[in-house]
Amino acid sequence: MTTRPSGRAPDALRPVSIETGFARHAEGSALIRMGGTEVLCAASVEPRVPPFLRGQGKGWVTAEYGMLPRATHTRGAREAAKGKQSGRTQEIQRLIGRSLRAVTDLSALGEISITVDCDVLNADGGTRCASITGAWVALRLALEKLVRNRVLARVPLTAQVAAISCGLTGAGPVLDLDYDEDSAAAADANFVLTEAGGIVEIQGTAEQAPFSQAQFEALLRLAQDGTQHLFAAQRAAVDAALGARSDAS
């Protein structure tokens, strides 16, 4: 058993903060920081839905994801300059969208679309997980604005959703991998969970030898405990934002 590069305990998250209102023009926004990873999540509301939903009385929630060129150690070319998104980008933004739709009552949303843009400012592992966690806050605040403006009667969310990475390293099963751990892990997994313990999605990969069910269950327990801290951070961020609005009104 070895220690983690960061010196954290196996079940310790990196420092987490969520700052709301960072994107002033968006209906809802959150800048989430998890250690060295920083993602700006901005929710935009449009009074229309994709063609496949027209006339059904249902709304749509989706996401887009991208990384700034110097979010990583070396410059990455802008995907717009290449003329197409990478497979990784498409996979991550679909994951974010699925995660948000899993906790949204689309029928109660009506024919409204909400797109949450998740832009990675700095990457140090776990960008998709931070994006999901921050995107829920941005979505919640956008929906609160629709209720405040009497477009919706209630906030059509059925649960909180957050995500965290776990992995098998020389220190054993560990929570919230940073880049150094993620790049060397024997196995890693991303867990998308609700605050009641529901599983939205799990992505797990053995980077070396296959891992056992017991090891997987150890990772799941870490994720379940770790996301409770993320849910608390989400609630605190939303409460602070709504409180600030009440004070200003």
Side-chain angles (χ1 to χ4, degrees), residues 45-71:
V45 176
E46 297 178 285
R48 60 179 180 270
V49 292
F52 69 89
L53 282 176
R54 287 175 189 162
Q56 297 183 35
K58 293 182 179 180
W60 186 244
V61 176
T62 189
E64 294 191 10
Y65 169 95
M67 298 181 71
L68 295 187
R70 279 318 302 265

Side-chain angles (χ1 to χ4, degrees), residues 127-198:
T127 60
R128 71 185 65 196
C129 295
S131 295
I132 291 168
T133 304
W136 183 88
V137 174
L139 175 62
R140 170 70 187 275
L141 294 177
L143 293 170
E144 291 281 359
K145 185 170 184 178
L146 290 174
V147 172
R148 191 168 64 256
N149 292 341
R150 298 185 179 181
V151 175
L152 297 176
R154 63 178 178 85
V155 172
L157 288 175
T158 60
Q160 285 178 251
V161 68
I164 197 67
S165 65
C166 298
L168 300 174
T169 70
V174 297
L175 178 71
D176 191 17
L177 280 65
D178 56 27
Y179 176 79
D180 289 338
E181 290 180 313
D182 187 43
S183 60
D188 62 84
N190 299 303
F191 294 87
V192 185
L193 307 173
T194 69
E195 83 277 15

